[in-house]
Amino acid sequence: MEQQDIPYEQRRNPNLPFGYWCIADPDGYPHLIDELGRRWSSLREYIWCGRLGMARGSDWQFTAMTEFLLAVLAAIDRRIVHVEERVNDLFDGAWDLAGHYGSWLEGHKLSEGLTGDLTPEGRAILVALASTRGAGEAPIPIGLPTIVRWHGLDGDDTREQRERMFKVNESFALDLPGRFVRERINGDPGIKLIGVPTGANIPLGRVLWAMTFADEYARDRLFAWLIHRLDRWEAWVELARGSGAQAFTEHILRVRFADEPIEFG
């Protein structure tokens, strides 16, 4: 019988966290060595890459994916959290995505899908993940997952670089008669075009145009494009004020794709 075919609880102590058999690298590096002699930078990397065969990705992606796995396992372990609540809370209501994730867990023998219980190995991995949360994570005990739904590419390792660049330009734009600003619109990432302040007593800027995006990365991609054309903002404010938001949208689309090559491949 193959090793992987033997139930986890017959091969390991199910009362201990997954990976308890690893040893510290005797050479002094911050590595763990598993029973096959493979070196891992952390217990989480051993679980995610070694046990589950997943790509590590960037540091941000790795943290996000392992935290999400912890949240799903914890929700399954809390039997009072029923499947519909899990789908809406953890998967933003996407039943197909939740089903796929449940099948993935079941295929790895960590759970009996989203509607069943955790296996002994699934619970051992839950304990290991909960015991290795970073110092910046909230001290949430096992069984109380709190994970923010991730949309798109936002949050990657270059986010801080974008924010530094944007803040410099946004500070400069405060002195302009009309400007683009990043704001949330009905809870979604958005960009607004604020016109020249008007009014006899207290001049106020009026929103001339607005657009929402699926995630902050998509919003910032357009905002960066706008920043590089800051010298055109005054003319665009006049266009939106005089001809309306629809005319401005059409103009921006024409300009944005004016130099794009046509791909035939």
Side-chain angles (χ1 to χ4, degrees):
M1 179 180 292
E2 295 290 336
Q3 183 76 2
Q4 61 268 22
D5 294 329
I6 302 174
Y8 178 83
E9 59 272 23
Q10 295 180 20
R11 295 182 284 115
R12 311 288 190 189
N13 185 341
N15 298 315
L16 296 177
F18 184 93
Y20 68 87
W21 53 87
C22 293
I23 63 173
D25 193 329
D27 294 332
Y29 296 103
H31 292 156
L32 294 177
I33 303 177
D34 65 18
E35 58 191 355
L36 299 178
R38 298 175 299 181
R39 284 173 165 78
W40 307 98
S41 63
S42 67
L43 181 57
R44 285 196 167 201
E45 186 179 65
Y46 175 40
I47 293 171
W48 187 249
C49 303
R51 169 60 181 86
L52 300 177
M54 302 298 288
R56 192 183 192 285
S58 68
D59 289 343
W60 182 87
Q61 290 170 325
F62 174 70
T63 300
M65 294 300 99
T66 52
E67 280 293 298
F68 189 74
L69 174 60
L70 169 60
V72 175
L73 293 177
I76 294 173
D77 195 49
R78 289 174 66 203
R79 300 179 184 180
I80 61 171
V81 180
H82 300 296
V83 63
E84 187 168 353
E85 179 182 343
R86 292 178 211 157
V87 172
N88 283 282
D89 187 32
L90 293 173
F91 296 94
D92 202 27
W95 283 88
D96 53 347
L97 180 60
H100 182 274
Y101 205 93
S103 296
W104 178 70
L105 291 176
E106 188 172 4
H108 278 294
K109 301 179 181 178
L110 302 187
S111 76
E112 299 169 3
L114 287 177
T115 57
D117 295 331
L118 293 182
T119 64
E121 184 176 17
R123 190 165 289 106
I125 287 179
L126 165 62
V127 175
L129 291 174
S131 302
T132 54
R133 302 197 80 198
E137 303 296 339
I140 301 171
I142 297 174
L144 295 175
T146 301
I147 298 295
V148 177
R149 175 76 166 134
W150 173 35
H151 294 276
L153 299 172
D154 178 61
D156 209 346
D157 297 328
T158 59
R159 184 175 185 179
E160 290 185 5
Q161 300 174 16
R162 300 203 313 269
E163 288 300 322
R164 284 196 297 269
M165 178 190 71
F166 290 157
K167 285 180 179 178
V168 171
N169 287 276
E170 286 172 330
S171 297
F172 173 78
L174 289 174
D175 297 325
L176 298 178
R179 64 191 188 279
F180 291 92
V181 297
R182 297 181 301 161
E183 289 185 3
R184 301 200 76 83
I185 302 173
N186 297 325
D188 296 322
I191 296 176
K192 292 181 180 179
L193 176 57
I194 309 297
V196 179
T198 57
N201 297 322
I202 303 177
L204 298 174
R206 185 167 61 89
V207 177
L208 302 176
W209 175 87
M211 183 175 180
T212 60
F213 301 82
D215 56 74
E216 294 187 9
Y217 185 89
R219 176 203 63 192
D220 289 351
R221 184 165 46 202
L222 178 59
F223 193 70
W225 184 85
L226 292 169
I227 283 176
H228 283 105
R229 291 151 183 82
L230 193 143
D231 60 302
R232 297 295 304 149
W233 286 17
E234 184 176 357
W236 289 347
V237 167
E238 288 302 313
L239 172 63
R241 187 178 65 84
S243 302
Q246 180 65 32
F248 174 72
T249 299
E250 293 174 358
H251 178 75
I252 284 294
L253 281 174
R254 286 193 295 269
V255 173
R256 173 62 183 84
F257 294 101
D259 297 317
E260 291 287 331
I262 298 176
E263 299 289 348
F264 293 100

